Amino acid sequence: MNAIPRLRRYTGPALLSYGFRPFFLLGAIYAGLAILAWVPMFHGQLEFATAFSPRDWHVHEMLFGYVAAIVTGFLLTAVPNWTGRLPIQGKPLAVLVAAWIAGRIAVTGSALWGAWPAAIVDCSFLLLVALATAREIIAGSNWRNLKVLIAVGLLFAGNVVFHVEAALFGIAQYGARMGTAVSIALIMLIGGRIVPSFTRNWLARENPGRLPVAFNRYDVVSMIASVLALALWVAVPEGPVPGTLLVLGSLLQAVRLARWAGERTARDRLVLILHVAYLFVPLGFLLVGIAALTGVPAEAGIHAWTGGAVGAMTLAVMTRASLGHTGRALVASAATQAIYCLVVLATLARIGAAYLPAFYTPLIHTAGLSWALAFLGFGLVYWPVLTRPRLGG
């Protein structure tokens, strides 16, 4: 995500000048508020007028509410760099934001206006994102990046499956696994590019010595094997074959991470958090693989993926992109570092809750509070960054 080379003359709110601004800000605030609501929902102390079960509402809003918002913010900022075209801003961007907000309202109140109308409203958001992205890529004749639509399409398909399952069977299983698998595949794809790239840039400038291994055939093989393991897990979540492939994926991704010289990045927290976040990818593969082999619940591994890999990596990208694209120094302030620590603490507490039943409730509360503080903290700290004009014009 390099700096956007040019902009059309724009005099509207700064929040609508770049795609990352509204989706990073609103997505983070929503992620924090949704978890604050989920904890009392989990204990039966709060109810929404949603057609989803409480568990499904929680899973759906994290995957297809929060993740979809951040992926959209990333794409709307990256596509102009790929195509050389002007970014989507102003009213067209406001339409996409309104569609995302409408989806959140539709899902949360779906018991009032019906599961199927809510599904149509909610699913329309990712469809609009796909169409907008395709238009920009095609107009810019940047054909090689059309493959990004595969990820958006799979996320859209996962959302459709989620709604259909929940409406027909009362619980969404395949859709939830699809959303999780696509999210982790995106982390492996995008993280596999930006983590070694940003690490190399910083080490070459500040700490000469061993550098990350350049993207090569190993990365391709490890990606293919890991994606195949995820695909099989979506279809068949238990058994020796998916379990073995998931454990293999853990090993492959752990080796991949070790090749990126993360142990040498402690002095730059913006770079270090990228490695810490990616560490939860192989950890999630390992824990979900063990669950598939033994038949124990996979909640620890799933939360390693969703809380650690997705939660920490998106915060890492959001903080870095927000600073860089608004003309600010790429330095992690004390508040930003606290946000990183809180999301990692939330993930570790949630993983621990799965293995320590005697401490389940306090660990769940710790995880929920830490997560909410991390994402609402991002909203508070980065509000002026994302709502004010770029420094230097």
Side-chain angles (χ1 to χ4, degrees), residues 1-36:
M1 294 178 68
N2 298 318
I4 296 172
R6 58 197 179 96
L7 296 170
R8 63 172 56 89
R9 185 174 180 81
Y10 176 76
T11 57
L15 184 66
L16 297 176
S17 61
Y18 293 143
F20 71 91
R21 289 176 178 265
F23 284 108
F24 285 3
L25 182 60
L26 296 178
I29 292 173
Y30 185 69
L33 293 177
I35 292 300
L36 283 182

PDB file of all heavy atoms in Angstrom, residues 1-36:
ATOM      1  N   MET A   1       0.847  -1.190   0.000  1.00  0.00           N
ATOM      2  CA  MET A   1       0.000   0.000   0.000  1.00  0.00           C
ATOM      3  C   MET A   1       0.885   1.243   0.000  1.00  0.00           C
ATOM      4  O   MET A   1       1.125   1.872   1.007  1.00  0.00           O
ATOM      5  CB  MET A   1      -0.932   0.009   1.206  1.00  0.00           C
ATOM      6  CG  MET A   1      -1.970  -1.101   1.182  1.00  0.00           C
ATOM      7  SD  MET A   1      -2.998  -1.096   2.650  1.00  0.00           S
ATOM      8  CE  MET A   1      -3.916   0.418   2.417  1.00  0.00           C
ATOM      9  N   ASN A   2       1.429   1.576  -1.161  1.00  0.00           N
ATOM     10  CA  ASN A   2       2.238   2.770  -1.293  1.00  0.00           C
ATOM     11  C   ASN A   2       1.346   4.000  -1.350  1.00  0.00           C
ATOM     12  O   ASN A   2       0.124   3.907  -1.507  1.00  0.00           O
ATOM     13  CB  ASN A   2       3.084   2.690  -2.561  1.00  0.00           C
ATOM     14  CG  ASN A   2       4.041   1.521  -2.525  1.00  0.00           C
ATOM     15  OD1 ASN A   2       4.658   1.264  -1.497  1.00  0.00           O
ATOM     16  ND2 ASN A   2       4.151   0.798  -3.625  1.00  0.00           N
ATOM     17  N   ALA A   3       1.941   5.178  -1.253  1.00  0.00           N
ATOM     18  CA  ALA A   3       1.160   6.398  -1.259  1.00  0.00           C
ATOM     19  C   ALA A   3       0.415   6.537  -2.575  1.00  0.00           C
ATOM     20  O   ALA A   3       0.952   6.264  -3.649  1.00  0.00           O
ATOM     21  CB  ALA A   3       2.076   7.603  -1.040  1.00  0.00           C
ATOM     22  N   ILE A   4      -0.847   6.962  -2.515  1.00  0.00           N
ATOM     23  CA  ILE A   4      -1.633   7.174  -3.715  1.00  0.00           C
ATOM     24  C   ILE A   4      -1.009   8.312  -4.503  1.00  0.00           C
ATOM     25  O   ILE A   4      -0.784   9.402  -3.972  1.00  0.00           O
ATOM     26  CB  ILE A   4      -3.094   7.492  -3.346  1.00  0.00           C
ATOM     27  CG1 ILE A   4      -3.720   6.283  -2.640  1.00  0.00           C
ATOM     28  CG2 ILE A   4      -3.908   7.848  -4.572  1.00  0.00           C
ATOM     29  CD1 ILE A   4      -5.075   6.542  -2.078  1.00  0.00           C
ATOM     30  N   PRO A   5      -0.696   8.112  -5.785  1.00  0.00           N
ATOM     31  CA  PRO A   5       0.083   9.088  -6.530  1.00  0.00           C
ATOM     32  C   PRO A   5      -0.636  10.398  -6.805  1.00  0.00           C
ATOM     33  O   PRO A   5      -0.021  11.437  -6.897  1.00  0.00           O
ATOM     34  CB  PRO A   5       0.387   8.347  -7.839  1.00  0.00           C
ATOM     35  CG  PRO A   5      -0.704   7.327  -7.975  1.00  0.00           C
ATOM     36  CD  PRO A   5      -1.017   6.914  -6.564  1.00  0.00           C
ATOM     37  N   ARG A   6      -1.961  10.372  -6.955  1.00  0.00           N
ATOM     38  CA  ARG A   6      -2.660  11.600  -7.285  1.00  0.00           C
ATOM     39  C   ARG A   6      -4.105  11.509  -6.822  1.00  0.00           C
ATOM     40  O   ARG A   6      -4.644  10.429  -6.646  1.00  0.00           O
ATOM     41  CB  ARG A   6      -2.601  11.857  -8.796  1.00  0.00           C
ATOM     42  CG  ARG A   6      -3.186  10.732  -9.624  1.00  0.00           C
ATOM     43  CD  ARG A   6      -2.735  10.819 -11.090  1.00  0.00           C
ATOM     44  NE  ARG A   6      -3.290   9.724 -11.863  1.00  0.00           N
ATOM     45  CZ  ARG A   6      -4.389   9.792 -12.596  1.00  0.00           C
ATOM     46  NH1 ARG A   6      -5.064  10.930 -12.625  1.00  0.00           N
ATOM     47  NH2 ARG A   6      -4.833   8.765 -13.281  1.00  0.00           N
ATOM     48  N   LEU A   7      -4.720  12.666  -6.670  1.00  0.00           N
ATOM     49  CA  LEU A   7      -6.106  12.740  -6.223  1.00  0.00           C
ATOM     50  C   LEU A   7      -6.860  13.742  -7.084  1.00  0.00           C
ATOM     51  O   LEU A   7      -6.274  14.704  -7.584  1.00  0.00           O
ATOM     52  CB  LEU A   7      -6.188  13.181  -4.765  1.00  0.00           C
ATOM     53  CG  LEU A   7      -5.581  12.256  -3.710  1.00  0.00           C
ATOM     54  CD1 LEU A   7      -5.546  12.971  -2.375  1.00  0.00           C
ATOM     55  CD2 LEU A   7      -6.369  10.968  -3.615  1.00  0.00           C
ATOM     56  N   ARG A   8      -8.168  13.505  -7.254  1.00  0.00           N
ATOM     57  CA  ARG A   8      -8.993  14.524  -7.893  1.00  0.00           C
ATOM     58  C   ARG A   8      -9.238  15.638  -6.882  1.00  0.00           C
ATOM     59  O   ARG A   8      -9.064  15.450  -5.676  1.00  0.00           O
ATOM     60  CB  ARG A   8     -10.315  13.928  -8.377  1.00  0.00           C
ATOM     61  CG  ARG A   8     -11.169  13.399  -7.274  1.00  0.00           C
ATOM     62  CD  ARG A   8     -12.555  12.987  -7.759  1.00  0.00           C
ATOM     63  NE  ARG A   8     -12.491  12.017  -8.819  1.00  0.00           N
ATOM     64  CZ  ARG A   8     -12.454  10.703  -8.636  1.00  0.00           C
ATOM     65  NH1 ARG A   8     -12.427  10.217  -7.408  1.00  0.00           N
ATOM     66  NH2 ARG A   8     -12.420   9.867  -9.652  1.00  0.00           N
ATOM     67  N   ARG A   9      -9.606  16.802  -7.374  1.00  0.00           N
ATOM     68  CA  ARG A   9      -9.906  17.904  -6.463  1.00  0.00           C
ATOM     69  C   ARG A   9     -11.082  17.507  -5.576  1.00  0.00           C
ATOM     70  O   ARG A   9     -12.141  17.138  -6.060  1.00  0.00           O
ATOM     71  CB  ARG A   9     -10.228  19.167  -7.258  1.00  0.00           C
ATOM     72  CG  ARG A   9     -10.438  20.399  -6.391  1.00  0.00           C
ATOM     73  CD  ARG A   9     -10.606  21.638  -7.252  1.00  0.00           C
ATOM     74  NE  ARG A   9     -10.797  22.823  -6.446  1.00  0.00           N
ATOM     75  CZ  ARG A   9      -9.828  23.507  -5.867  1.00  0.00           C
ATOM     76  NH1 ARG A   9      -8.579  23.102  -6.023  1.00  0.00           N
ATOM     77  NH2 ARG A   9     -10.070  24.586  -5.145  1.00  0.00           N
ATOM     78  N   TYR A  10     -10.891  17.585  -4.272  1.00  0.00           N
ATOM     79  CA  TYR A  10     -11.902  17.106  -3.339  1.00  0.00           C
ATOM     80  C   TYR A  10     -12.008  18.084  -2.187  1.00  0.00           C
ATOM     81  O   TYR A  10     -10.999  18.456  -1.570  1.00  0.00           O
ATOM     82  CB  TYR A  10     -11.529  15.712  -2.827  1.00  0.00           C
ATOM     83  CG  TYR A  10     -12.477  15.179  -1.781  1.00  0.00           C
ATOM     84  CD1 TYR A  10     -13.726  14.687  -2.134  1.00  0.00           C
ATOM     85  CD2 TYR A  10     -12.125  15.171  -0.434  1.00  0.00           C
ATOM     86  CE1 TYR A  10     -14.611  14.199  -1.170  1.00  0.00           C
ATOM     87  CE2 TYR A  10     -12.990  14.688   0.536  1.00  0.00           C
ATOM     88  CZ  TYR A  10     -14.232  14.207   0.156  1.00  0.00           C
ATOM     89  OH  TYR A  10     -15.098  13.739   1.105  1.00  0.00           O
ATOM     90  N   THR A  11     -13.242  18.505  -1.900  1.00  0.00           N
ATOM     91  CA  THR A  11     -13.456  19.491  -0.842  1.00  0.00           C
ATOM     92  C   THR A  11     -14.405  18.984   0.234  1.00  0.00           C
ATOM     93  O   THR A  11     -14.796  19.744   1.110  1.00  0.00           O
ATOM     94  CB  THR A  11     -14.029  20.795  -1.436  1.00  0.00           C
ATOM     95  OG1 THR A  11     -15.257  20.494  -2.133  1.00  0.00           O
ATOM     96  CG2 THR A  11     -13.044  21.436  -2.409  1.00  0.00           C
ATOM     97  N   GLY A  12     -14.764  17.708   0.178  1.00  0.00           N
ATOM     98  CA  GLY A  12     -15.688  17.151   1.154  1.00  0.00           C
ATOM     99  C   GLY A  12     -14.993  16.755   2.437  1.00  0.00           C
ATOM    100  O   GLY A  12     -13.815  17.083   2.667  1.00  0.00           O
ATOM    101  N   PRO A  13     -15.691  16.010   3.302  1.00  0.00           N
ATOM    102  CA  PRO A  13     -15.091  15.573   4.573  1.00  0.00           C
ATOM    103  C   PRO A  13     -13.858  14.706   4.335  1.00  0.00           C
ATOM    104  O   PRO A  13     -13.858  13.843   3.448  1.00  0.00           O
ATOM    105  CB  PRO A  13     -16.219  14.764   5.221  1.00  0.00           C
ATOM    106  CG  PRO A  13     -17.469  15.208   4.539  1.00  0.00           C
ATOM    107  CD  PRO A  13     -17.079  15.552   3.145  1.00  0.00           C
ATOM    108  N   ALA A  14     -12.830  14.926   5.137  1.00  0.00           N
ATOM    109  CA  ALA A  14     -11.608  14.137   4.998  1.00  0.00           C
ATOM    110  C   ALA A  14     -11.879  12.648   5.183  1.00  0.00           C
ATOM    111  O   ALA A  14     -11.210  11.808   4.584  1.00  0.00           O
ATOM    112  CB  ALA A  14     -10.562  14.614   6.008  1.00  0.00           C
ATOM    113  N   LEU A  15     -12.881  12.321   6.000  1.00  0.00           N
ATOM    114  CA  LEU A  15     -13.206  10.921   6.263  1.00  0.00           C
ATOM    115  C   LEU A  15     -13.556  10.169   4.983  1.00  0.00           C
ATOM    116  O   LEU A  15     -13.336   8.960   4.892  1.00  0.00           O
ATOM    117  CB  LEU A  15     -14.377  10.840   7.246  1.00  0.00           C
ATOM    118  CG  LEU A  15     -14.788   9.451   7.720  1.00  0.00           C
ATOM    119  CD1 LEU A  15     -13.684   8.820   8.552  1.00  0.00           C
ATOM    120  CD2 LEU A  15     -16.078   9.521   8.521  1.00  0.00           C
ATOM    121  N   LEU A  16     -14.084  10.884   3.983  1.00  0.00           N
ATOM    122  CA  LEU A  16     -14.495  10.244   2.739  1.00  0.00           C
ATOM    123  C   LEU A  16     -13.518  10.504   1.596  1.00  0.00           C
ATOM    124  O   LEU A  16     -13.864  10.342   0.427  1.00  0.00           O
ATOM    125  CB  LEU A  16     -15.892  10.725   2.338  1.00  0.00           C
ATOM    126  CG  LEU A  16     -17.021  10.367   3.306  1.00  0.00           C
ATOM    127  CD1 LEU A  16     -18.330  10.981   2.840  1.00  0.00           C
ATOM    128  CD2 LEU A  16     -17.157   8.851   3.448  1.00  0.00           C
ATOM    129  N   SER A  17     -12.278  10.886   1.934  1.00  0.00           N
ATOM    130  CA  SER A  17     -11.300  11.177   0.886  1.00  0.00           C
ATOM    131  C   SER A  17     -10.519   9.952   0.442  1.00  0.00           C
ATOM    132  O   SER A  17     -10.012   9.914  -0.683  1.00  0.00           O
ATOM    133  CB  SER A  17     -10.320  12.258   1.364  1.00  0.00           C
ATOM    134  OG  SER A  17      -9.601  11.813   2.515  1.00  0.00           O
ATOM    135  N   TYR A  18     -10.394   8.946   1.294  1.00  0.00           N
ATOM    136  CA  TYR A  18      -9.718   7.692   0.968  1.00  0.00           C
ATOM    137  C   TYR A  18     -10.567   6.549   1.510  1.00  0.00           C
ATOM    138  O   TYR A  18     -11.191   6.678   2.563  1.00  0.00           O
ATOM    139  CB  TYR A  18      -8.342   7.582   1.628  1.00  0.00           C
ATOM    140  CG  TYR A  18      -7.283   8.531   1.152  1.00  0.00           C
ATOM    141  CD1 TYR A  18      -6.370   9.073   2.054  1.00  0.00           C
ATOM    142  CD2 TYR A  18      -7.161   8.871  -0.190  1.00  0.00           C
ATOM    143  CE1 TYR A  18      -5.374   9.930   1.640  1.00  0.00           C
ATOM    144  CE2 TYR A  18      -6.167   9.730  -0.605  1.00  0.00           C
ATOM    145  CZ  TYR A  18      -5.276  10.264   0.304  1.00  0.00           C
ATOM    146  OH  TYR A  18      -4.286  11.102  -0.106  1.00  0.00           O
ATOM    147  N   GLY A  19     -10.507   5.406   0.850  1.00  0.00           N
ATOM    148  CA  GLY A  19     -11.301   4.270   1.288  1.00  0.00           C
ATOM    149  C   GLY A  19     -10.942   3.742   2.657  1.00  0.00           C
ATOM    150  O   GLY A  19     -11.813   3.251   3.394  1.00  0.00           O
ATOM    151  N   PHE A  20      -9.654   3.854   3.029  1.00  0.00           N
ATOM    152  CA  PHE A  20      -9.253   3.286   4.317  1.00  0.00           C
ATOM    153  C   PHE A  20      -9.813   4.069   5.499  1.00  0.00           C
ATOM    154  O   PHE A  20     -10.027   3.511   6.577  1.00  0.00           O
ATOM    155  CB  PHE A  20      -7.721   3.214   4.427  1.00  0.00           C
ATOM    156  CG  PHE A  20      -7.028   4.542   4.573  1.00  0.00           C
ATOM    157  CD1 PHE A  20      -6.767   5.070   5.825  1.00  0.00           C
ATOM    158  CD2 PHE A  20      -6.632   5.254   3.459  1.00  0.00           C
ATOM    159  CE1 PHE A  20      -6.123   6.298   5.967  1.00  0.00           C
ATOM    160  CE2 PHE A  20      -5.979   6.475   3.579  1.00  0.00           C
ATOM    161  CZ  PHE A  20      -5.726   6.999   4.828  1.00  0.00           C
ATOM    162  N   ARG A  21     -10.068   5.356   5.308  1.00  0.00           N
ATOM    163  CA  ARG A  21     -10.456   6.202   6.432  1.00  0.00           C
ATOM    164  C   ARG A  21     -11.774   5.748   7.088  1.00  0.00           C
ATOM    165  O   ARG A  21     -11.795   5.443   8.284  1.00  0.00           O
ATOM    166  CB  ARG A  21     -10.550   7.659   5.985  1.00  0.00           C
ATOM    167  CG  ARG A  21      -9.203   8.324   5.694  1.00  0.00           C
ATOM    168  CD  ARG A  21      -9.420   9.724   5.170  1.00  0.00           C
ATOM    169  NE  ARG A  21      -8.189  10.460   4.915  1.00  0.00           N
ATOM    170  CZ  ARG A  21      -7.598  11.297   5.764  1.00  0.00           C
ATOM    171  NH1 ARG A  21      -8.139  11.484   6.954  1.00  0.00           N
ATOM    172  NH2 ARG A  21      -6.485  11.939   5.433  1.00  0.00           N
ATOM    173  N   PRO A  22     -12.893   5.715   6.365  1.00  0.00           N
ATOM    174  CA  PRO A  22     -14.135   5.337   7.046  1.00  0.00           C
ATOM    175  C   PRO A  22     -14.189   3.873   7.442  1.00  0.00           C
ATOM    176  O   PRO A  22     -14.726   3.527   8.510  1.00  0.00           O
ATOM    177  CB  PRO A  22     -15.222   5.668   6.006  1.00  0.00           C
ATOM    178  CG  PRO A  22     -14.530   5.555   4.694  1.00  0.00           C
ATOM    179  CD  PRO A  22     -13.129   6.065   4.947  1.00  0.00           C
ATOM    180  N   PHE A  23     -13.638   2.985   6.600  1.00  0.00           N
ATOM    181  CA  PHE A  23     -13.775   1.564   6.894  1.00  0.00           C
ATOM    182  C   PHE A  23     -12.853   1.113   8.021  1.00  0.00           C
ATOM    183  O   PHE A  23     -13.236   0.251   8.820  1.00  0.00           O
ATOM    184  CB  PHE A  23     -13.565   0.738   5.626  1.00  0.00           C
ATOM    185  CG  PHE A  23     -14.748   0.771   4.715  1.00  0.00           C
ATOM    186  CD1 PHE A  23     -14.712   1.469   3.518  1.00  0.00           C
ATOM    187  CD2 PHE A  23     -15.930   0.134   5.067  1.00  0.00           C
ATOM    188  CE1 PHE A  23     -15.815   1.520   2.687  1.00  0.00           C
ATOM    189  CE2 PHE A  23     -17.045   0.172   4.247  1.00  0.00           C
ATOM    190  CZ  PHE A  23     -16.989   0.872   3.045  1.00  0.00           C
ATOM    191  N   PHE A  24     -11.672   1.670   8.119  1.00  0.00           N
ATOM    192  CA  PHE A  24     -10.807   1.341   9.255  1.00  0.00           C
ATOM    193  C   PHE A  24     -11.405   1.880  10.543  1.00  0.00           C
ATOM    194  O   PHE A  24     -11.457   1.186  11.563  1.00  0.00           O
ATOM    195  CB  PHE A  24      -9.408   1.923   9.060  1.00  0.00           C
ATOM    196  CG  PHE A  24      -8.554   1.189   8.058  1.00  0.00           C
ATOM    197  CD1 PHE A  24      -9.049   0.109   7.338  1.00  0.00           C
ATOM    198  CD2 PHE A  24      -7.243   1.582   7.828  1.00  0.00           C
ATOM    199  CE1 PHE A  24      -8.256  -0.564   6.406  1.00  0.00           C
ATOM    200  CE2 PHE A  24      -6.448   0.913   6.909  1.00  0.00           C
ATOM    201  CZ  PHE A  24      -6.948  -0.160   6.198  1.00  0.00           C
ATOM    202  N   LEU A  25     -11.866   3.127  10.515  1.00  0.00           N
ATOM    203  CA  LEU A  25     -12.375   3.757  11.732  1.00  0.00           C
ATOM    204  C   LEU A  25     -13.672   3.103  12.196  1.00  0.00           C
ATOM    205  O   LEU A  25     -13.790   2.662  13.351  1.00  0.00           O
ATOM    206  CB  LEU A  25     -12.593   5.250  11.496  1.00  0.00           C
ATOM    207  CG  LEU A  25     -13.081   6.061  12.700  1.00  0.00           C
ATOM    208  CD1 LEU A  25     -12.074   5.987  13.841  1.00  0.00           C
ATOM    209  CD2 LEU A  25     -13.334   7.515  12.306  1.00  0.00           C
ATOM    210  N   LEU A  26     -14.658   3.024  11.303  1.00  0.00           N
ATOM    211  CA  LEU A  26     -15.948   2.459  11.691  1.00  0.00           C
ATOM    212  C   LEU A  26     -15.844   0.964  11.966  1.00  0.00           C
ATOM    213  O   LEU A  26     -16.498   0.445  12.874  1.00  0.00           O
ATOM    214  CB  LEU A  26     -16.982   2.722  10.593  1.00  0.00           C
ATOM    215  CG  LEU A  26     -17.318   4.194  10.339  1.00  0.00           C
ATOM    216  CD1 LEU A  26     -18.324   4.318   9.200  1.00  0.00           C
ATOM    217  CD2 LEU A  26     -17.852   4.871  11.593  1.00  0.00           C
ATOM    218  N   GLY A  27     -15.016   0.258  11.188  1.00  0.00           N
ATOM    219  CA  GLY A  27     -14.837  -1.165  11.411  1.00  0.00           C
ATOM    220  C   GLY A  27     -14.262  -1.453  12.784  1.00  0.00           C
ATOM    221  O   GLY A  27     -14.719  -2.361  13.488  1.00  0.00           O
ATOM    222  N   ALA A  28     -13.251  -0.681  13.182  1.00  0.00           N
ATOM    223  CA  ALA A  28     -12.628  -0.895  14.491  1.00  0.00           C
ATOM    224  C   ALA A  28     -13.595  -0.578  15.626  1.00  0.00           C
ATOM    225  O   ALA A  28     -13.699  -1.336  16.602  1.00  0.00           O
ATOM    226  CB  ALA A  28     -11.371  -0.038  14.612  1.00  0.00           C
ATOM    227  N   ILE A  29     -14.302   0.534  15.510  1.00  0.00           N
ATOM    228  CA  ILE A  29     -15.256   0.899  16.562  1.00  0.00           C
ATOM    229  C   ILE A  29     -16.337  -0.170  16.682  1.00  0.00           C
ATOM    230  O   ILE A  29     -16.717  -0.576  17.789  1.00  0.00           O
ATOM    231  CB  ILE A  29     -15.879   2.278  16.273  1.00  0.00           C
ATOM    232  CG1 ILE A  29     -14.804   3.376  16.421  1.00  0.00           C
ATOM    233  CG2 ILE A  29     -17.053   2.554  17.198  1.00  0.00           C
ATOM    234  CD1 ILE A  29     -15.270   4.751  15.990  1.00  0.00           C
ATOM    235  N   TYR A  30     -16.804  -0.661  15.543  1.00  0.00           N
ATOM    236  CA  TYR A  30     -17.842  -1.690  15.570  1.00  0.00           C
ATOM    237  C   TYR A  30     -17.319  -2.977  16.194  1.00  0.00           C
ATOM    238  O   TYR A  30     -18.036  -3.648  16.948  1.00  0.00           O
ATOM    239  CB  TYR A  30     -18.351  -1.956  14.158  1.00  0.00           C
ATOM    240  CG  TYR A  30     -19.519  -2.917  14.131  1.00  0.00           C
ATOM    241  CD1 TYR A  30     -20.756  -2.537  14.635  1.00  0.00           C
ATOM    242  CD2 TYR A  30     -19.382  -4.201  13.623  1.00  0.00           C
ATOM    243  CE1 TYR A  30     -21.834  -3.416  14.642  1.00  0.00           C
ATOM    244  CE2 TYR A  30     -20.453  -5.083  13.615  1.00  0.00           C
ATOM    245  CZ  TYR A  30     -21.679  -4.685  14.126  1.00  0.00           C
ATOM    246  OH  TYR A  30     -22.729  -5.564  14.129  1.00  0.00           O
ATOM    247  N   ALA A  31     -16.073  -3.340  15.881  1.00  0.00           N
ATOM    248  CA  ALA A  31     -15.495  -4.560  16.453  1.00  0.00           C
ATOM    249  C   ALA A  31     -15.442  -4.473  17.970  1.00  0.00           C
ATOM    250  O   ALA A  31     -15.699  -5.460  18.670  1.00  0.00           O
ATOM    251  CB  ALA A  31     -14.093  -4.799  15.886  1.00  0.00           C
ATOM    252  N   GLY A  32     -15.108  -3.304  18.494  1.00  0.00           N
ATOM    253  CA  GLY A  32     -15.069  -3.136  19.939  1.00  0.00           C
ATOM    254  C   GLY A  32     -16.450  -3.174  20.570  1.00  0.00           C
ATOM    255  O   GLY A  32     -16.685  -3.860  21.570  1.00  0.00           O
ATOM    256  N   LEU A  33     -17.401  -2.457  19.965  1.00  0.00           N
ATOM    257  CA  LEU A  33     -18.758  -2.428  20.507  1.00  0.00           C
ATOM    258  C   LEU A  33     -19.438  -3.787  20.402  1.00  0.00           C
ATOM    259  O   LEU A  33     -20.191  -4.191  21.302  1.00  0.00           O
ATOM    260  CB  LEU A  33     -19.588  -1.369  19.770  1.00  0.00           C
ATOM    261  CG  LEU A  33     -19.169   0.091  19.977  1.00  0.00           C
ATOM    262  CD1 LEU A  33     -20.030   1.013  19.117  1.00  0.00           C
ATOM    263  CD2 LEU A  33     -19.266   0.490  21.444  1.00  0.00           C
ATOM    264  N   ALA A  34     -19.185  -4.500  19.305  1.00  0.00           N
ATOM    265  CA  ALA A  34     -19.819  -5.805  19.119  1.00  0.00           C
ATOM    266  C   ALA A  34     -19.390  -6.796  20.186  1.00  0.00           C
ATOM    267  O   ALA A  34     -20.193  -7.609  20.653  1.00  0.00           O
ATOM    268  CB  ALA A  34     -19.495  -6.351  17.724  1.00  0.00           C
ATOM    269  N   ILE A  35     -18.123  -6.732  20.598  1.00  0.00           N
ATOM    270  CA  ILE A  35     -17.661  -7.639  21.648  1.00  0.00           C
ATOM    271  C   ILE A  35     -18.192  -7.210  23.012  1.00  0.00           C
ATOM    272  O   ILE A  35     -18.509  -8.048  23.856  1.00  0.00           O
ATOM    273  CB  ILE A  35     -16.130  -7.728  21.652  1.00  0.00           C
ATOM    274  CG1 ILE A  35     -15.647  -8.422  20.386  1.00  0.00           C
ATOM    275  CG2 ILE A  35     -15.625  -8.486  22.876  1.00  0.00           C
ATOM    276  CD1 ILE A  35     -16.177  -9.838  20.213  1.00  0.00           C
ATOM    277  N   LEU A  36     -18.306  -5.909  23.235  1.00  0.00           N
ATOM    278  CA  LEU A  36     -18.920  -5.447  24.483  1.00  0.00           C
ATOM    279  C   LEU A  36     -20.363  -5.938  24.587  1.00  0.00           C
ATOM    280  O   LEU A  36     -20.853  -6.222  25.676  1.00  0.00           O
ATOM    281  CB  LEU A  36     -18.884  -3.918  24.553  1.00  0.00           C
ATOM    282  CG  LEU A  36     -17.552  -3.261  24.909  1.00  0.00           C
ATOM    283  CD1 LEU A  36     -17.721  -1.750  24.986  1.00  0.00           C
ATOM    284  CD2 LEU A  36     -16.999  -3.801  26.234  1.00  0.00           C
TER     285      LEU A  36
END
